[in-house]
């Protein structure tokens, strides 16, 4: 008896990468999260009235319950349905790297959910000062929040791609850094530089460091997915760009490692290492943007020009800092970081747009010639 005949049929249904099974799985994940978070709220708060914010509040319990649910939902969705949709990634990526990517993405999703729910709870606490909720109402609210976050997190994991990872990365970096800025014990941190947020040994400083470390790990995962999409892009055009693709993905992996190291080595404790890796990020970006024309022959000229324009803006911003002193270092860092990650997101969108155009043309030709020959593509999120 083969493994396929011994495997229960329902496993084949749930592992099938179709829109129907992905939606069904997401609903199941949401239902389980609703029950678990609701029970957790009842265990912590009981049936008595519970404040909206503060220690043991609805916002606090809901945030942790939603974060845990999101991490579990992402992990299951990624392993069960996300990886089967990306065979090229699974074949080219070592097992240990796949585990690192999965853990980094799941934990990043959890932290992002935690930040969003805590922020929402803080706003509601200010809007309804002194208000409390009955225990059952609080349990229903906590369950609903966990269900919604688990549902959407599962969908992201099941349809994971370079584009979805880049979106997750952008939201996470903005939320984490903004949270660190808002809770900074030194309100004048911006007069020094962005790295000053990580020099304080409190919640703000640790949040900044964790944000950069997790962000760096996500960038390395993103690099591997970009590599797979670039190989598909080059294959569809009959190009031999393997060396250029390896250079780009290697550079993005190095960019992620440098970003993580910026968080690992605070500037006040490891000045030399911190500045070296921070400068290294700029150098890697410079090499990729300038060399992209040769790394990927035939890539859209509009995007190449955009990359050069971004480099020009960064150069002008640096001049405004030194020697003119019009900007401070924080402004330069914010502009550079914003442009680098904007370039990365637009880069992925250009790759996706090119491959999508090819698929549309392929389907059109197949339908015009033989409707039965039209290819059927699986769920892509």
């Amino acid at each position: 008896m083969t493994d396929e005949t011994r495997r229960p049929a329902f496993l084949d249904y749930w592992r099938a990468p179709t829109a129907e099974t992905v939606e069904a799985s997401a609903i199941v994940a949401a239902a389980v999260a609703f029950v678990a978070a609701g029970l957790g709220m009842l265990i912590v708060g009981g049936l008595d009235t519970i404040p909206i914010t503060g220690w043991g509040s609805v916002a606090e319990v809901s945030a942790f319950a939603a974060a845990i649910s999101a991490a579990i939902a992402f992990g299951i969705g990624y392993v069960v349905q996300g990886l089967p949709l990306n065979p090229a990634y699974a074949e080219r990526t070592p097992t240990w790297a796949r585990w690192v990517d999965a853990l980094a993405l799941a934990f990043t999703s959890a932290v992002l959910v935690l930040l969003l729910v805590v922020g929402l709870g803080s706003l509601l606490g200010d809007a309804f000062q002194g208000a409390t909720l009955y225990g059952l109402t609080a349990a229903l609210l906590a369950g609903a929040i966990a269900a919604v976050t688990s549902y959407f997190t599962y969908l992201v994991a099941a349809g994971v791609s370079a584009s979805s990872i880049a979106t997750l990365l952008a939201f996470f970096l903005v939320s984490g850094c903004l949270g660190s800025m808002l809770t900074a014990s030194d309100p004048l941190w911006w007069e020094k530089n962005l790295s000053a947020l990580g020099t304080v040994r409190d919640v703000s400083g640790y949040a900044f460091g964790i944000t950069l470390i997790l962000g760096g790990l996500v960038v390395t995962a993103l690099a591997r997915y970009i590599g797979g999409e670039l190989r598909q892009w080059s294959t569809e055009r009959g190009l031999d760009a393997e060396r250029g693709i390896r250079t780009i993905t290697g550079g993005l992996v190095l960019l992620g490692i440098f970003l993580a190291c910026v968080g690992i080595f605070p500037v006040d404790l490891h000045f030399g290492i911190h500045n070296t890796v921070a400068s290294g990020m700029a150098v890697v970006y410079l090499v990729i943007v300038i060399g992209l024309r040769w790394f990927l022959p035939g890539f859209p000229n509009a995007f190449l020009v955009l990359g050069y324009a971004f480099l020009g803006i960064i150069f002008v911003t640096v001049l405004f800092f030194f020697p003119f002193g019009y900007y401070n270092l924080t402004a330069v860092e914010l502009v550079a970081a914003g442009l680098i990650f904007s370039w990365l997101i637009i880069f992925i969108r250009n790759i996706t747009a090119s491959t999508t155009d090819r698929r549309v043309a392929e389907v059109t030709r197949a339908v015009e010639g033989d409707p039965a020959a039209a290819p059927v593509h699986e769920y892509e999120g």
Side-chain angles (χ1 to χ4, degrees), residues 194-338:
L194 197 59
S195 298
L197 289 171
T199 61
V200 183
R201 308 298 174 259
D202 59 9
V203 175
S204 172
Y206 293 130
F208 182 74
I210 292 174
T211 298
L212 297 186
I213 294 170
L214 283 177
L217 293 176
V218 173
V219 170
T220 62
L222 178 60
R224 285 184 271 270
Y225 275 89
I226 289 177
E229 296 194 7
L230 282 177
R231 289 184 177 90
Q232 180 182 353
W233 176 87
S234 63
T235 300
E236 290 176 348
R237 284 156 179 75
L239 300 175
D240 182 14
E242 183 61 27
R243 179 177 297 180
I245 293 173
R246 288 183 179 180
T247 302
I248 293 172
T249 55
L252 292 176
V253 168
L254 191 59
L255 186 70
I257 293 174
F258 284 165
L259 179 61
C261 287
V262 171
I264 295 172
F265 302 104
V267 67
D268 60 325
L269 299 180
H270 307 278
F271 181 83
I273 298 177
H274 182 94
N275 285 345
T276 299
V277 293
S279 302
M281 291 175 59
V283 172
V284 170
Y285 174 69
L286 179 68
V287 171
I288 293 177
V289 171
I290 293 179
L292 191 62
R293 180 181 298 275
W294 295 276
F295 297 150
L296 299 175
F299 208 75
N301 287 325
F303 179 75
L304 298 177
V305 173
L306 179 68
Y308 303 148
F310 279 9
L311 284 179
I313 294 173
I314 293 174
F315 178 73
V316 171
T317 305
V318 172
L319 287 180
F320 280 166
F321 165 64
F322 180 83
F324 299 114
Y326 185 78
Y327 286 158
N328 66 359
L329 184 55
T330 303
V332 176
E333 291 175 329
L334 288 174
V335 170

Side-chain angles (χ1 to χ4, degrees), residues 8-361:
F10 74 89
L11 288 181
D12 292 328
Y13 172 80
W14 290 109
R15 289 181 64 87
T18 63
E20 177 187 348
T21 55
V22 169
E23 286 292 337
S25 301
I27 291 173
V28 171
V32 172
F34 178 85
V35 174
L39 290 176
M41 187 75 248
L42 288 175
I43 292 173
V44 173
L47 295 176
D48 297 330
T49 57
I50 306 171
I52 295 179
T53 58
W55 180 255
S57 65
V58 177
E60 184 181 71
V61 176
S62 298
F64 281 102
I68 294 171
S69 300
I72 296 174
F74 190 98
I76 295 175
Y78 185 79
V79 173
V80 174
Q81 291 171 323
L83 287 179
L85 284 173
N86 294 278
Y89 163 81
E91 292 172 1
R92 288 182 172 273
T93 307
T95 302
W96 67 267
R98 294 201 300 270
W99 275 106
V100 171
D101 292 349
L103 291 174
L105 293 172
F107 197 60
T108 299
S109 300
V111 175
L112 178 59
V113 167
L114 180 69
L115 291 171
L116 292 177
V117 177
V118 167
L120 178 61
S122 178
L123 290 175
L124 291 176
D126 291 338
F128 301 95
Q129 295 185 16
T132 58
L133 297 177
Y134 289 111
L136 184 58
T137 304
L140 292 174
L141 181 60
I145 293 173
V148 170
T149 54
S150 296
Y151 174 79
F152 286 106
T153 304
Y154 190 98
L155 291 180
V156 171
V160 67
S161 63
S163 181
S164 62
I165 294 176
T167 302
L168 173 66
L169 176 65
F171 276 109
F172 175 70
L173 288 177
V174 171
S175 300
C177 291
L178 187 59
S180 179
M181 294 174 188
L182 293 174
T183 57
S185 56
D186 180 10
L188 299 179
W189 63 268
W190 55 271
E191 294 183 348
K192 304 171 186 175
N193 50 60
L194 197 59
S195 298
L197 289 171
T199 61
V200 183
R201 308 298 174 259
D202 59 9
V203 175
S204 172
Y206 293 130
F208 182 74
I210 292 174
T211 298
L212 297 186
I213 294 170
L214 283 177
L217 293 176
V218 173
V219 170
T220 62
L222 178 60
R224 285 184 271 270
Y225 275 89
I226 289 177
E229 296 194 7
L230 282 177
R231 289 184 177 90
Q232 180 182 353
W233 176 87
S234 63
T235 300
E236 290 176 348
R237 284 156 179 75
L239 300 175
D240 182 14
E242 183 61 27
R243 179 177 297 180
I245 293 173
R246 288 183 179 180
T247 302
I248 293 172
T249 55
L252 292 176
V253 168
L254 191 59
L255 186 70
I257 293 174
F258 284 165
L259 179 61
C261 287
V262 171
I264 295 172
F265 302 104
V267 67
D268 60 325
L269 299 180
H270 307 278
F271 181 83
I273 298 177
H274 182 94
N275 285 345
T276 299
V277 293
S279 302
M281 291 175 59
V283 172
V284 170
Y285 174 69
L286 179 68
V287 171
I288 293 177
V289 171
I290 293 179
L292 191 62
R293 180 181 298 275
W294 295 276
F295 297 150
L296 299 175
F299 208 75
N301 287 325
F303 179 75
L304 298 177
V305 173
L306 179 68
Y308 303 148
F310 279 9
L311 284 179
I313 294 173
I314 293 174
F315 178 73
V316 171
T317 305
V318 172
L319 287 180
F320 280 166
F321 165 64
F322 180 83
F324 299 114
Y326 185 78
Y327 286 158
N328 66 359
L329 184 55
T330 303
V332 176
E333 291 175 329
L334 288 174
V335 170
L339 290 179
I340 289 174
F341 286 103
S342 296
W343 178 90
L344 189 58
I345 293 173
I346 299 173
F347 179 44
I348 295 169
R349 289 184 60 83
N350 272 263
I351 300 171
T352 304
S354 298
T355 54
T356 300
D357 288 342
R358 290 278 178 172
R359 288 183 179 181
V360 171

